[in-house]
Amino acid sequence: MSLPHAILTALLEKPSSGLELTRRFDKSIGYFWSATHQQIYRELGRLEEAGAIRALPRPEQPTRGQKKEYEVLPAGRDELAAWVGRIEDPKPIRDALLLRLRAAGVVGTQGLEAEVRRHLELHRAQSAEYRAIEERDFGDGRGSEGDRLRHLVLRAGIDLENFWLGWLEAARAELADMGADAAADARTGPEPAP
């Protein structure tokens, strides 16, 4: 149920069209709450029907091809404020790589080391991107309350990337060690029976 709240947040920060929201999701909110172009447009329609947002009035011009820009109404602001204060349990982790490591315990690790290295590179790139954003947007110290909270969210992303980088390095080392053990076992053959 958080996509409507993500959209309300983005619109309160700046009234936008659906296309502009999609671009903003790709550059900021999408790092921690992703949505497709279609999902955003579908949710804009629902929010408008519910009276949480409205399309801004447009100047008298032909409407074909003109972007519809939205703003948040008082009911939308009230819903977002109520949601911010609501109690919500953390979501369980669902990560295919973790499941694949577990499965490798019963079917073998063939190809898994390369996938762990690939994930490591992806997380290194994401970490570098987050740090560049931090330097660009928050390098000059304290800002407004909104800036400080956005920086806090970005710090969560940086800290999560640091976790994944450390964990993936450990997983890579463990897989390499397991591979070395398997190679040594293959060279020496089976142990003789007592």
Side-chain angles (χ1 to χ4, degrees):
M1 184 68 181
S2 294
L3 179 56
H5 300 104
I7 290 172
L8 288 170
T9 299
L11 289 175
L12 278 169
E13 290 173 346
K14 179 181 180 225
S16 305
S17 69
L19 181 59
E20 290 165 341
L21 279 173
T22 300
R23 288 180 181 145
R24 289 172 60 205
F25 264 71
D26 289 345
K27 292 180 182 174
S28 62
I29 292 174
Y31 287 125
F32 55 91
W33 197 269
S34 62
T36 66
H37 185 73
Q38 292 84 3
Q39 289 171 319
I40 290 171
Y41 273 94
R42 204 170 25 249
E43 200 57 52
L44 284 170
R46 289 183 188 132
L47 288 167
E48 191 171 25
E49 284 177 23
I53 66 171
R54 72 175 179 132
L56 289 169
R58 292 184 261 186
E60 296 281 332
Q61 294 177 358
T63 58
R64 187 173 175 91
Q66 193 172 28
K67 292 184 284 185
K68 197 188 241 188
E69 220 172 61
Y70 295 91
E71 70 176 353
V72 177
L73 295 171
R77 180 181 281 277
D78 292 347
E79 168 54 29
L80 188 60
W83 178 76
V84 165
R86 223 174 269 151
I87 294 172
E88 192 171 295
D89 292 336
K91 300 290 182 226
I93 295 174
R94 292 181 62 182
D95 189 283
L97 183 61
L98 297 176
L99 184 56
R100 289 165 70 189
L101 280 164
R102 177 76 183 253
V106 293
V107 299
T109 61
Q110 182 75 24
L112 194 54
E113 195 171 348
E115 182 65 355
V116 167
R117 278 194 312 274
R118 188 178 78 80
H119 277 252
L120 187 57
E121 290 309 311
L122 291 170
H123 283 282
R124 281 183 181 140
Q126 189 64 66
S127 179
E129 187 173 344
Y130 284 163
R131 290 185 185 283
I133 292 169
E134 183 178 42
E135 181 63 32
R136 181 192 72 214
D137 295 347
F138 304 105
D140 59 357
R142 287 180 146 11
S144 69
E145 183 178 279
D147 286 341
R148 291 171 67 187
L149 291 171
R150 282 187 283 280
H151 190 200
L152 192 59
V153 171
L154 179 61
R155 286 295 321 162
I158 291 169
D159 290 348
L160 283 170
E161 290 306 322
N162 287 338
F163 161 77
W164 281 113
L165 290 171
W167 183 86
L168 286 161
E169 285 288 1
R172 187 173 73 158
E174 191 70 31
L175 287 166
D177 188 48
M178 290 166 39
D181 289 349
D185 289 347
R187 280 193 306 273
T188 60
E191 288 186 25

